[in-house]
């Protein structure tokens, strides 16, 4: 089991390694460019070399990118679709340069057009991304929380998408908050068992590569995406302890995307997850080897 969190790239992508060490993260997720903008990725080879050296020195065990939020593969707007696929290709290529493991994305919103009519386009766009890059990174579809016209909210939709793409270069990320928002009750052992059975039926655990560990500020089934710190939301500690121990989830990387004290996942949240998983607490460190 590998536990970590989403960290900042402020000051350059290599800084993500320092942030990881500071919060005791074994694995990380980053936004390599601002997620609210279509900004071309410009990362010099010297930064790539610096990142690789630091990641190796730190013993970082995994790194996933989160795609920009503007991506919509279910849109009728051809410019937006082109930007979306182009952005994913550039992220996949950067992942190859850095040795990162994958790119996590939300397929987008059909805005009333319907899931079925837009599924071929969504799957075609993901195939196009894979065809345009030889990156070894995985292209990872995350289940979404369920705001209007959402594509890939239910496990059934996620399963249909990855089945339609039909490539071993595609994987799935399971977000606990988003699952809860879609009515999968993760508060109890019975609820988790039922949700994971539904996931296995619809998607299959062979596709699952990553867990996003987030509690929910909003009640079960409300289709709203508000992440809470672990134990402070409606899912609660018991649900997370059971999920962390579950054989289907135990060996996966877990990435926190929680608010922490306001700056995102921190040492307290990483260590709470470690405690619930029955692991010894992490100690913050830096590449000088000096504990802070
Ligand atoms: Zn997530
Ligand atoms: Zn979310």
């Amino acid at each position: 089991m590998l536990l970590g969190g989403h960290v900042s790239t402020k000051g350059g992508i290599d800084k993500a390694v320092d942030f990881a060490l500071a919060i005791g993260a074994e694995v990380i997720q980053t936004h390599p460019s601002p997620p609210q903008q279509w900004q071309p990725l410009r990362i010099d080879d010297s930064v790539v070399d610096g990142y690789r050296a630091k990641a190796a020195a730190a013993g970082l065990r995994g790194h996933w990118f989160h795609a920009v939020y503007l991506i919509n593969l279910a849109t009728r707007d051809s410019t937006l679709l082109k930007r979306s696929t182009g952005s994913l290709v550039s992220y996949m290529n950067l992942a190859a340069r850095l040795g990162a493991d994958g790119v996590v994305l939300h397929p987008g919103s059909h805005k009333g057009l319907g899931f079925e009519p837009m599924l071929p386009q969504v799957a075609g766009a993901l195939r196009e991304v894979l065809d345009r890059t030889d990156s070894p990174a995985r292209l990872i579809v995350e289940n979404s929380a369920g705001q209007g016209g959402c594509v890939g909210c239910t496990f059934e939709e996620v399963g249909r998408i990855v089945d339609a793409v039909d490539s071993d270069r595609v994987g799935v990320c399971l977000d606990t908050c988003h699952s809860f928002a879609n009515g999968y009750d993760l508060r109890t052992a019975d609820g988790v068992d039922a949700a994971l059975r539904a996931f296995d039926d619809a998607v299959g655990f062979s596709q699952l590569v990553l867990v996003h560990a987030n509690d929910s500020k909003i009640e079960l089934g409300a289709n709203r995406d508000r992440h809470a710190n672990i134990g402070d939301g409606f899912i609660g500690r018991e649900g997370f302890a059971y999920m962390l121990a579950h054989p289907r989830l135990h060996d996966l990387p877990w990435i926190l995307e929680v608010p922490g004290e306001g700056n995102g996942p921190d040492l307290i949240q990483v260590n709470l997850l470690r405690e619930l998983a029955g692991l010894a607490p992490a100690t913050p460190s830096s590449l000088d080897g000096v504990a802070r």
Side-chain angles (χ1 to χ4, degrees), residues 121-144:
Q121 177 181 306
V122 171
L126 291 170
R127 268 198 304 268
E128 181 198 321
V129 171
L130 294 173
D131 287 345
R132 285 170 58 191
T133 175
D134 56 5
S135 173
R138 288 289 270 281
L139 194 54
I140 301 169
V141 177
E142 176 178 4
N143 67 315
S144 303

Side-chain angles (χ1 to χ4, degrees), residues 160-214:
R160 295 283 308 284
I161 293 166
V162 293
D163 283 352
V165 180
D166 190 23
S167 166
D168 56 11
R169 299 169 68 198
V170 164
V172 170
C173 171
L174 179 71
D175 186 304
T176 55
C177 172
H178 302 172
S179 302
F180 192 72
N182 277 289
Y184 300 105
D185 187 350
L186 305 178
R187 292 173 292 197
T188 63
D190 285 351
V192 170
D193 285 338
L196 294 183
R197 263 198 309 276
F199 183 89
D200 196 25
D201 288 347
V203 183
F205 282 105
S206 61
Q207 309 270 14
L208 184 59
V209 294
L210 189 64
V211 179
H212 278 172
N214 303 307

